[in-house]
Amino acid sequence: MRPVLEREENELSDYEAVLGVGKALGMGDALKGWETPKDCFKLMTECTRNMPCDMTGITWEALENSHGIQWPYPEGQEEKLSAEERRLYEDGHFFTPSGRVKFMFEEVMENPLPTTEEYPFILNTGRGSVGQWHTQSRTREVKFVEDVSSKKAYLYMNPELAAEHDIKEMDEIRVYSANGQDAVFHVKITENVRYKELYAPIHYMECNKLTPSIYDKYSKEPSYKATPIRFEKCE
């Protein structure tokens, strides 16, 4: 990434900070070739050589003031590819032994965490606002974002479900997850969620504390979008 602002006295870039940790750990020669962001970029492009995403023809300097360079962009083909808009597989060749596409499918899996009598509701998770980013890792210290964002974790609940449990707008509830963890949320009442489903933004630790530790068997992506829960109103 190119810097946007001039650094002030005693400021380090993220890259320098991480590199400094490596030096402090005594990594020595293992850090050769990683001294600058440009060095790191060169190593990254080399990792793509002869791969479907080959970008060995892209240089650090060529990216300066560009609108981006589309890959694949193998070294030695720069002149041929410079003006082309390219898409993988448009030539009909796929990276399989036969060169042909291979479709793989199987029966739809059962939900590994269905609702139960003990945990009869579903907690869905997702983005909560345009200002907050993920777990606030990039926005927690941005004053404008903080000024317009809730300081405490909250979730959305259907009006009918709220009425059944005598829950009013901004009441606190404790949510118990099937993963054995629990957390406290303020309640915002809305018809935008279904009767037996609640929705919490991912930008708060309380939300992520409740998601299950199960993974997709192919991609290994964690299941952080939904989990069975129960809840009770806080006194």
Side-chain angles (χ1 to χ4, degrees), residues 8-234:
E8 297 183 6
E9 187 178 2
N10 297 323
E11 285 187 338
L12 294 175
S13 68
D14 287 351
Y15 193 92
E16 290 168 324
V18 173
L19 188 66
V21 171
K23 291 177 179 178
L25 290 172
M27 294 178 66
D29 290 345
L31 296 176
K32 284 186 176 179
W34 296 87
E35 289 84 357
T36 68
K38 179 180 176 180
D39 295 327
C40 183
F41 178 78
K42 186 176 180 181
L43 285 169
M44 182 186 74
T45 58
E46 188 58 38
C47 288
T48 70
R49 187 176 295 278
N50 299 320
M51 302 292 286
C53 58
D54 193 323
M55 58 180 76
T56 49
I58 302 177
T59 65
W60 179 263
E61 291 77 14
L63 288 174
E64 192 76 49
N65 297 319
S66 75
H67 294 290
I69 300 175
Q70 187 175 351
W71 57 265
Y73 199 87
E75 189 175 39
Q77 298 187 39
E78 295 88 341
E79 185 174 343
K80 171 187 173 184
L81 298 175
S82 59
E84 290 186 19
E85 180 179 289
R86 300 175 305 288
R87 294 290 182 268
L88 276 176
Y89 315 124
E90 66 183 358
D91 59 359
H93 178 78
F94 295 83
F95 296 94
T96 61
S98 67
R100 302 180 67 181
V101 68
K102 182 178 180 181
F103 289 100
M104 301 177 67
F105 64 93
E106 62 182 31
E107 295 297 323
V108 176
M109 294 175 60
E110 293 288 333
N111 183 350
L113 284 177
T115 55
T116 64
E117 186 174 344
E118 183 179 7
Y119 298 99
F121 306 104
I122 287 290
L123 175 70
N124 292 313
T125 76
R127 296 191 180 278
S129 72
V130 295
Q132 291 171 310
W133 174 265
H134 289 185
T135 54
Q136 303 185 52
S137 55
R138 298 187 184 183
T139 53
R140 187 179 290 108
E141 296 179 11
V142 179
K143 188 177 187 309
F144 171 76
V145 175
E146 283 293 282
D147 287 347
V148 298
S149 300
S150 172
K151 301 297 185 292
K152 295 184 177 181
Y154 62 93
L155 55 72
Y156 294 100
M157 181 181 292
N158 180 276
E160 185 180 351
L161 184 62
E164 287 181 6
H165 293 267
D166 191 30
I167 293 172
K168 306 294 191 299
E169 183 80 6
M170 296 309 289
D171 278 352
E172 284 189 338
I173 64 171
R174 184 173 294 277
V175 177
Y176 298 87
S177 168
N179 74 357
Q181 300 290 321
D182 63 86
V184 174
F185 296 80
H186 282 97
V187 175
K188 295 188 177 185
I189 299 175
T190 174
E191 292 184 351
N192 291 335
V193 294
R194 295 180 177 182
Y195 168 67
K196 296 195 75 171
E197 297 182 7
L198 293 83
Y199 180 91
I202 61 174
H203 315 302
Y204 300 89
M205 184 183 299
E206 289 85 349
C207 172
N208 298 291
K209 183 180 180 183
L210 302 182
T211 53
S213 295
I214 55 177
Y215 300 84
D216 178 79
K217 65 180 182 179
Y218 297 113
S219 69
K220 308 305 179 187
E221 184 175 7
S223 176
Y224 45 66
K225 292 297 185 183
T227 189
I229 60 162
R230 61 182 172 87
F231 64 85
E232 61 184 29
K233 184 177 179 181
C234 296

